[in-house]
Amino acid sequence: MPQADAMSTAERRAASSLAGVFAFRMLGLFMVLPVLATYGQSLRGATPFLIGVAIGAYGFTQALLQIPFGMLSDRIGRKPVIIGGLLLFALGGLVAAQADSMWGVIFGRVLQGAGAIAAAIMALVADLTREQHRTKAMAMIGMSIGLAFAVAMVVGPVIAGMAGLSAVFYVTSGLAVVGMALVIWVVPAPDAVFPHRDAGVVASAFLPVLRQADLLRLNYGIAVLHAILMASFVAIPLALQDRAGLPADQHWWVYLSALLLSFCVMVPFIIYAERQRKMKQVVLGAILLLALVQPLLWLSLDSLAWLVAAIVLFFVGFNLLEATMPSLLSKIAPAGGKGTAMGIYSTSQFAGAGLGGVLGGAVFSAFGLGGVFVCCAVLALSWYVIGVTMREPPYVTSYRLTLPLALARDEALPRRILAVPGVAEAVVVADEGAAYLKVDTKVLDREALELLVQPA
């Protein structure tokens, strides 16, 4: 690859350090999931319902504040918003660590969720990378989130087993401090802050995105997926401890085995979905697996071996959907509306997480472990019924072109861009001096496109 086409040192530094910030924050959020249902029982006022609320509480404030914080970062700068969000997250961890009641933990989790910095981080990535390398930078962040989830499932039970639940929350605060240090001293400062339609929310794109039926299906799906995850972590740790007889400090090996096996199984399906253009079929298959594994979890409650096998299948379905759905969103989102679609999608995800924790706690209180698994199966089946009506997505990629201002004001330019082979959609934003495209990379005539947008 020619040096001009490689990521610059500053871009690599920006992408890797911001991936680290994202990973440390998500690690702190996820570490609590496998331990709160078991270790939280000793807290004053703990009930299955309140444990469920504590598991999902961060999702409500995250959903409420993520888009506003992203827009605020357009006004006052990315770094102040990110540092402020990490400070709230660290404070929430300290509050939860020092709490002696379940209500104190819930308040701490609400504060953690208030540190809603995902949109601001994505916008900062766009500020610090060129268009041709932005996908790589976003992929680095995506991989860091997946790695953080895997590490959290293992590290959370180990820390809780050694030093208790409060130690897990103290570690989450420490990770937030490390993230702040990265933002202050390692992440480069952008030369300018400006809205990116492919990475940030734009008010004018809200209605077009909300009117698109396939995006609404996707938003419902991600809400259901994370509702099932949170409800499951009300039930699975208790199933392992109380029914299968596995002490809480040994749960780490179950999650480690399940995640490693699920990653090995899901990768071929991801490759098949992209290369063979069978995304809809793979997604529907994973949803169906998520629905069918719920009765298996219920039937396996008294057998550790079968319960572990069911947990492996659960994570195969969950991780496959978690990995493929952002790609699906990128294909479906309208040109110039990807950032807004991502913002609404993420808001749906966190709202689903909050509702899932509450629902899991309520159903467990009323119907026990089996009731939680039945509830999750019903949720997954509702998603499958809605997903069946989804159209096969167009296999296109979002693409942003910087334009000379004089060319950007040419009213005939969108029509000429659409005439280039491989271009499916084109939106020119004259004020930004940019064109947002959806292109099929297999047939795109790059030379024709580049010639078209050269200054006269």
Side-chain angles (χ1 to χ4, degrees):
M1 177 182 293
Q3 189 63 30
D5 293 332
M7 291 183 80
S8 68
T9 301
E11 286 175 321
R12 288 195 296 270
R13 177 182 167 192
S16 58
S17 57
L18 286 171
V21 172
F22 221 120
F24 285 131
R25 181 177 173 279
M26 299 310 289
L27 181 59
L29 279 175
F30 291 143
M31 272 201 304
V32 180
L33 292 186
V35 299
L36 196 50
T38 49
Y39 290 89
Q41 292 175 321
S42 62
L43 291 169
R44 180 165 50 86
T47 65
F49 174 69
L50 289 183
I51 287 173
V53 172
I55 286 174
Y58 80 94
F60 292 118
T61 42
Q62 184 89 12
L64 184 66
L65 295 173
Q66 181 186 220
I67 289 177
F69 276 15
M71 290 181 163
L72 181 63
S73 76
D74 289 337
R75 292 178 174 270
I76 68 172
R78 316 295 187 202
K79 284 195 173 187
V81 170
I82 295 171
I83 291 169
L86 289 170
L87 195 59
L88 281 173
F89 185 82
L91 180 62
L94 291 176
V95 168
Q98 296 175 23
D100 61 358
S101 72
M102 186 53 68
W103 283 108
V105 170
I106 290 171
F107 181 59
R109 291 285 278 171
V110 168
L111 272 179
Q112 285 187 317
I117 58 173
I121 289 179
M122 292 302 187
L124 184 53
V125 171
D127 289 336
L128 294 171
T129 55
R130 290 167 290 169
E131 284 84 0
Q132 62 265 41
H133 299 306
R134 199 156 295 146
T135 301
K136 299 175 194 173
M138 297 294 187
M140 289 173 68
I141 289 177
M143 288 187 289
S144 76
I145 295 171
L147 182 61
F149 181 76
V151 172
M153 292 297 102
V154 177
V155 171
V158 171
I159 294 173
M162 293 172 60
L165 181 61
S166 62
V168 177
F169 284 113
Y170 280 124
V171 170
T172 67
S173 295
L175 291 169
V177 172
V178 173
M180 283 189 276
L182 285 174
V183 174
I184 294 169
W185 289 300
V186 181
V187 176
D191 295 328
V193 171
F194 52 92
H196 300 269
R197 289 173 174 258
D198 275 352
V201 174
V202 179
S204 61
F206 264 106
L207 283 178
V209 166
L210 289 173
R211 288 190 186 117
Q212 195 158 333
D214 282 339
L215 285 174
L216 292 176
R217 292 184 185 93
L218 203 60
N219 294 333
Y220 178 78
I222 195 63
V224 165
L225 183 63
H226 280 261
I228 289 172
L229 179 68
M230 295 302 153
S232 296
F233 273 102
V234 174
I236 287 175
L238 294 175
L240 287 168
Q241 175 183 267
D242 298 342
R243 296 293 295 271
L246 186 68
D249 61 355
Q250 295 182 33
H251 288 190
W252 65 269
W253 68 259
V254 175
Y255 300 124
L256 178 61
S257 304
L259 287 164
L260 288 176
L261 288 170
S262 68
F263 283 140
C264 292
V265 172
M266 77 173 191
V267 168
F269 285 101
I270 293 172
I271 294 171
Y272 172 79
E274 290 287 355
R275 290 186 178 174
Q276 301 301 319
R277 302 197 165 188
K278 298 290 186 181
M279 185 71 73
K280 177 181 176 180
Q281 292 85 335
V282 169
V283 167
L284 289 176
I287 297 170
L288 198 57
L289 173 62
L290 209 58
L292 294 176
V293 79
Q294 302 301 325
L296 181 58
L297 285 164
W298 186 11
L299 295 171
S300 304
L301 287 175
D302 297 317
S303 168
L304 180 60
W306 280 104
L307 186 57
V308 171
I311 292 170
V312 170
L313 291 175
F314 171 82
F315 277 112
V316 169
F318 175 82
N319 287 325
L320 184 53
L321 289 164
E322 188 79 349
T324 54
M325 288 180 68
S327 175
L328 198 56
L329 179 139
S330 181
K331 292 173 172 55
I332 295 171
K338 180 182 173 183
T340 304
M342 286 173 58
I344 296 171
Y345 171 91
S346 296
T347 298
S348 303
Q349 170 184 323
F350 290 119
L355 291 170
V358 172
L359 185 62
V363 172
F364 181 84
S365 296
F367 303 105
L369 290 172
V372 176
F373 297 130
V374 170
C375 178
C376 289
V378 171
L379 284 173
L381 287 172
S382 74
W383 180 13
Y384 183 83
V385 170
I386 290 172
V388 166
T389 62
M390 177 181 69
R391 294 171 296 176
E392 188 70 39
Y395 287 85
V396 292
T397 302
S398 297
Y399 200 71
R400 184 182 185 273
L401 283 173
T402 302
L403 303 173
L405 287 178
L407 186 61
R409 294 190 177 97
D410 184 349
E411 294 181 359
L413 182 61
R415 187 169 61 253
R416 295 203 301 271
I417 293 175
L418 284 169
V420 174
V423 177
E425 293 180 51
V427 173
V428 175
V429 184
D431 292 342
E432 290 184 30
Y436 293 88
L437 316 179
K438 303 299 288 289
V439 302
D440 185 337
T441 55
K442 287 189 175 182
V443 297
L444 177 64
D445 188 339
R446 294 181 183 275
E447 290 185 7
L449 185 60
E450 289 169 4
L451 286 172
L452 185 63
V453 299
Q454 290 299 317

